[in-house]
C-alpha cells in the first residue's frame, strides 16, 4: 500500500512474466536471482535512454506452478505456445514434475502506456510468445480494491493440479462466491 498509495488506476497495471520451465526445483533460486538481475538491468537501461522510465516501478511476487509432461496437451493454445517457446521438454522425463516459475507484479507505469511497457519487455528481455502479459487495472472498482485483489491473488497458496481460477483482478469475488 505504501508504494502505490497515491496511484490511480490509470497509472497501474498487472503484469505476469513467465520464465522457462524447470525439471529440477533446486535450480529455481538461481533462475529467480538471475531474473531479478535482468529486470533491474533492463529498468536501469530504459531509464538511461528514456526519462519517462524514471517513475516506473515494479513490485512483484514469485509463483511456481507444477505440471506433468502429459498436462501440456490440455493447456490452452497461448500457454502451449509460450511453454514451447520457453523450452518445454520435448520428451517425457521419467514422470518428473515440470515446474513453471513466473512473476506476478503490480506495475506503476509513470508516463508510459501499458503497451509501451509490454513492448519494451518483449523486445529487450522476454522475447518468447506470450511470455509477458500486462493488463491495465480495471476501472470499474477503486484502486485500493484492485491492489487488494492482485496482492491476495499473488499471495495465494494452493497445492492442486491444474488449478483454474479467475484472473488476479477478480480474485476476491471468486473466493467469496465459493463460500
Amino acid at each position: 500500500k505504501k508504494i502505490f498509495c497515491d496511484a490511480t488506476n490509470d497509472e497501474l497495471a498487472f503484469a505476469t512474466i513467465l520464465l522457462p520451465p524447470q525439471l529440477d526445483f533446486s535450480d529455481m533460486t538461481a533462475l529467480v536471482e538471475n531474473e531479478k538481475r535482468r529486470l533491474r538491468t533492463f529498468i536501469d537501461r530504459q531509464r538511461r535512454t528514456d526519462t519517462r522510465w524514471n517513475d516506473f516501478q515494479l513490485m512483484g511476487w514469485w509463483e511456481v506452478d507444477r505440471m506433468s509432461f502429459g498436462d501440456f496437451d490440455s493447456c490452452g493454445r497461448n500457454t502451449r505456445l509460450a511453454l514451447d517457446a520457453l523450452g518445454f521438454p520435448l520428451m517425457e522425463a521419467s514422470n518428473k514434475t515440470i515446474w513453471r516459475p513466473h512473476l506476478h507484479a503490480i506495475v506503476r507505469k509513470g508516463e508510459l502506456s501499458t503497451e509501451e511497457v509490454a513492448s519494451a519487455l518483449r523486445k529487450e528481455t522476454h522475447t518468447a510468445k506470450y511470455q509477458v502479459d500486462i493488463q491495465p487495472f480495471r476501472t470499474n472498482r477503486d484502486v485500493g480494491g484492485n491492489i487488494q485483489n492482485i496482492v491476495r491473488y499473488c499471495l495465494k497458496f494452493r497445492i492442486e493440479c491444474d488449478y483454474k481460477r479467475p484472473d488476479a483482478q477478480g480474485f476476491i469475488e471468486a473466493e467469496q462466491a465459493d463460500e
Side-chain angles (χ1 to χ4, degrees):
K1 288 184 178 182
K2 290 179 184 178
I3 294 173
F4 304 114
C5 67
D6 61 339
T8 65
N9 278 327
D10 291 337
E11 295 174 279
L12 300 174
F14 175 66
T16 299
I17 300 173
L18 307 177
L19 299 182
Q22 303 294 301
L23 291 174
D24 188 350
F25 196 84
S26 65
D27 294 339
M28 207 66 65
T29 301
L31 182 74
V32 167
E33 289 304 315
N34 184 52
E35 183 63 19
K36 286 181 194 178
R37 251 187 322 280
R38 278 178 33 150
L39 285 169
R40 281 192 299 267
T41 302
F42 163 76
I43 294 166
D44 289 344
R45 190 172 50 250
Q46 296 301 317
R47 287 177 174 158
R48 282 193 302 274
T49 60
D50 185 344
T51 58
R52 295 180 309 142
W53 282 84
N54 289 344
D55 294 328
F56 177 87
Q57 292 177 295
L58 182 140
M59 173 71 169
W61 299 266
W62 293 99
E63 182 175 350
V64 180
D65 292 338
R66 62 166 291 280
M67 67 185 292
S68 66
F69 185 80
D71 295 333
F72 182 84
D73 291 333
S74 63
C75 291
R77 175 191 171 275
N78 294 353
T79 300
R80 285 193 318 271
L81 288 170
L83 289 173
D84 188 46
L86 289 167
F88 191 82
L90 296 176
M91 298 172 58
E92 188 164 0
S94 305
N95 293 327
K96 286 186 94 174
T97 296
I98 298 167
W99 302 101
R100 295 175 33 200
H102 52 284
L103 176 69
H104 291 306
I106 297 175
V107 172
R108 185 179 211 149
K109 302 175 288 183
E111 297 177 35
L112 302 161
S113 70
T114 303
E115 295 77 23
E116 287 175 303
V117 173
S119 178
L121 281 164
R122 290 178 185 134
K123 178 182 173 190
E124 294 286 327
T125 56
H126 302 85
T127 57
K129 263 190 175 189
Y130 304 106
Q131 185 176 11
V132 174
D133 180 42
I134 302 182
Q135 300 295 321
F137 266 28
R138 297 204 179 136
T139 57
N140 63 334
R141 76 170 60 92
D142 66 74
V143 70
N146 280 326
I147 291 171
Q148 183 180 18
N149 265 290
I150 289 170
V151 171
R152 282 185 66 180
Y153 177 81
C154 292
L155 296 178
K156 70 188 178 304
F157 179 77
R158 304 243 192 254
I159 300 175
E160 299 176 21
C161 186
D162 197 29
Y163 179 71
K164 300 287 185 223
R165 186 59 107 182
D167 66 8
Q169 295 191 59
F171 189 70
I172 292 174
E173 289 87 354
E175 278 188 332
Q176 292 169 343
D178 286 347
E179 294 175 352

